[in-house]
Amino acid sequence: MIGGLEASLRRLTHYDYVEDKIKKSILTDSKADILVHGMGELAVCEIAEKLSAGCTIDQLAGIPGTAYNLRKNSPAPEKFFELPSCRQILSDNKLFMQAHLEYQKRCFPEGEAVVQDQGAGRIAVMPPSRPLSEAEMDRLYSLPFTRETHPDCRKEGEVPALESVKFSITTHRGCFGGCSFCSIYFHQGKEISSRSEGNIIKELEKLSKRKDFKGTIQDIGGPTANMYAMKCRKQKICSRQSCIYPNICKHLDCSCEKLISLMKSVLRWKKAGRGRNAFVASGVRYDLAVKSDEYMRILCKEFVGGHLKVAPEHFSNNTLKYMGKPRFGLFEKFENKFNEESRKAGKEQYLVPYFISSHPGCTNEDAEKLTEHLVSKNIMPRQVQDFTPSPLSLSTAMFVSGIDKNCNKIFTAKGSSAKKLQFALLRYYEPKHFGIISKHLSRKRKFRLLEQIRKKADYQKKRKR
Ligand code: SF4
């Protein structure tokens, strides 16, 4: 049996960036009997119960949140959709996009199973397990996690990544943002499963009693910090990838009431002298945040430790459209509110904007627009990520197929020099990038912008000296 994030996202024929290759489902390649996708608790329990009741491997077929090999004794689900096969995709890249979109439409708990021929046998992928209820989330997060490095790894020293999460609290899981480059939709789902306020505060109390607690909770959040307790008002969620893009769905209850109540409880915990700080370090979805003045006030006044991460991802609306992100104007609205509330609170604090270079659909002209904006505002972003096509995201389907979800041909910066240029345009202020930028902008006769960049790069050079 295989599971976890890697297996989960490689459940179907997928693209592997490291090997630059379209690969069969990892279920086929690994020769496992069953694959658990998503967060897995319900599927693992059902598998365990069935095995201890004496079921054979073949009798595990059909459990939600799993994928399995179709054999004589484990037939296809009663109702399913057949995706383009691995062989068909290999001979026509555009079918990669078609397979992705057909799967996305069915990948929710009330959706439909899919079947895909891998060349070495067919597999069935069941719809995801239902989301956990509040009581189940509370029970899960009340388990005695040690928050320590696993004993087997201790000989190699401490795990550095643990440090940033050791005193963090997960309030919920799932994300309905549906950004094209993100696979959370396919792993955690878009329905939000939240813990109760009481259960979260209990964990806070428990953490503050630890000997190694120094008074700071590093993060209170989830995949998107401010989606806590938000939900769809309809009984059954739909197949739309995002509940907030291109517009906020009328069925979405995006009130911050419960989130604000939780934040106030955390403040009471702090005021009672049990901790010094509690921060929000998870990403904040700014198009939702600007809808509540009270949330913005409490966030800026009490929960920002000098810097707050936000992800406008780009400036060009053309690129933002491919990313499934709101228009840049909304980020500016958030930025204004953030600055205003920080000033009112008497705090000097900054936004840390995240950007992606070379996203599918992003032309060099789009990248230049972003550079022009950054230069004009004197923003020097440190957080620039070159696009990495992770399995099972819409952006990866664009990267592989060369088309968008409407089957229109798109430009994608591929190959190291094309990618380097877009990355350099975003980190324009670094002297090491000046050569590549200069060559490009001179060719385009953008001398004014080039001169501005040269000044910034020179300034950085002097500072380093
Ligand atoms: S109906 Fe609206 S709020 Fe509900 S799942 Fe669909 S898009 Fe989201």
Side-chain angles (χ1 to χ4, degrees), residues 108 176 190-191 231-245 247-253:
F108 59 104
F176 50 76
K190 72 168 174 174
E191 217 168 325
K231 57 180 185 303
C232 171
R233 286 193 201 91
K234 280 171 87 183
Q235 286 300 310
K236 283 184 180 175
I237 66 158
C238 73
S239 62
R240 205 173 124 170
Q241 176 148 354
S242 170
C243 303
I244 48 181
Y245 183 84
N247 44 39
I248 298 183
C249 173
K250 62 176 189 219
H251 299 297
L252 182 69
D253 174 2

Side-chain angles (χ1 to χ4, degrees), residues 180-450:
S180 310
F181 46 79
C182 177
S183 310
I184 285 188
Y185 174 96
F186 294 97
H187 187 68
Q188 293 200 348
K190 72 168 174 174
E191 217 168 325
I192 305 294
S193 296
S194 301
R195 298 167 63 187
S196 68
E197 187 178 309
N199 186 258
I200 295 169
I201 299 299
K202 233 190 227 171
E203 188 179 357
L204 211 52
E205 298 281 3
K206 209 167 127 191
L207 276 185
S208 49
K209 284 185 190 135
R210 281 178 66 117
K211 279 200 193 92
D212 49 353
F213 181 65
K214 297 196 176 75
T216 296
I217 296 294
Q218 294 145 320
D219 184 26
I220 299 191
T224 302
N226 55 332
M227 285 187 186
Y228 175 73
M230 292 183 178
K231 57 180 185 303
C232 171
R233 286 193 201 91
K234 280 171 87 183
Q235 286 300 310
K236 283 184 180 175
I237 66 158
C238 73
S239 62
R240 205 173 124 170
Q241 176 148 354
S242 170
C243 303
I244 48 181
Y245 183 84
N247 44 39
I248 298 183
C249 173
K250 62 176 189 219
H251 299 297
L252 182 69
D253 174 2
C254 52
S255 138
C256 295
E257 220 173 282
K258 287 193 172 165
L259 176 57
I260 291 172
S261 162
L262 171 65
M263 290 164 107
K264 286 182 177 167
S265 289
V266 174
L267 290 180
R268 282 195 289 277
W269 164 85
K270 214 168 84 171
K271 278 185 189 132
R274 296 195 190 94
R276 274 184 292 121
N277 297 304
F279 296 132
V280 169
S282 303
V284 168
R285 186 78 195 201
Y286 49 85
D287 43 350
L288 290 176
V290 291
K291 292 178 86 55
S292 165
D293 288 343
E294 193 181 2
Y295 173 71
M296 285 299 293
R297 187 182 51 74
I298 194 165
L299 173 75
C300 299
K301 190 167 176 222
E302 309 281 359
F303 287 88
V304 178
H307 294 94
L308 182 72
K309 284 187 261 176
V310 268
E313 309 293 8
H314 217 275
F315 172 75
S316 147
N317 286 328
N318 175 55
T319 303
L320 289 170
K321 174 187 80 188
Y322 292 119
M323 291 176 166
K325 295 286 288 185
R327 295 172 78 82
F328 195 78
L330 265 174
F331 170 69
E332 290 181 308
K333 192 171 169 189
F334 176 81
E335 193 179 23
N336 291 339
K337 280 202 172 203
F338 175 85
N339 291 338
E340 188 189 321
E341 291 299 343
S342 298
R343 202 184 51 247
K344 279 192 207 157
K347 290 174 81 181
E348 188 179 331
Q349 48 195 20
Y350 304 93
L351 289 181
V352 181
Y354 278 51
F355 294 100
I356 298 181
S357 60
S358 301
H359 186 274
C362 177
T363 61
N364 290 344
E365 287 70 32
D366 293 332
E368 286 159 27
K369 273 187 203 160
L370 173 52
T371 310
E372 277 166 19
H373 175 77
L374 297 172
V375 171
S376 70
K377 297 270 175 181
N378 201 21
I379 302 171
M380 294 187 235
R382 304 259 158 217
Q383 304 297 339
V384 177
Q385 198 200 331
D386 186 40
F387 172 70
T388 306
S390 55
L392 214 48
S393 74
L394 175 60
S395 302
T396 300
M398 290 190 237
F399 180 87
V400 173
S401 63
I403 53 173
D404 67 7
K405 61 181 176 182
N406 301 316
C407 292
N408 297 315
K409 239 177 141 186
I410 52 165
F411 168 85
T412 300
K414 284 187 180 174
S416 75
S417 57
K419 282 168 99 50
K420 256 187 206 159
L421 171 65
Q422 288 211 7
F423 185 81
L425 281 166
L426 268 63
R427 303 267 295 221
Y428 65 90
Y429 53 90
E430 290 185 316
K432 66 177 178 192
H433 294 313
F434 188 71
I436 180 171
I437 294 177
S438 164
K439 212 164 133 195
H440 175 75
L441 292 183
S442 303
R443 210 171 38 235
K444 308 242 7 228
R445 308 191 67 75
K446 291 201 164 179
F447 298 116
R448 200 166 150 254
L449 179 60
L450 185 58

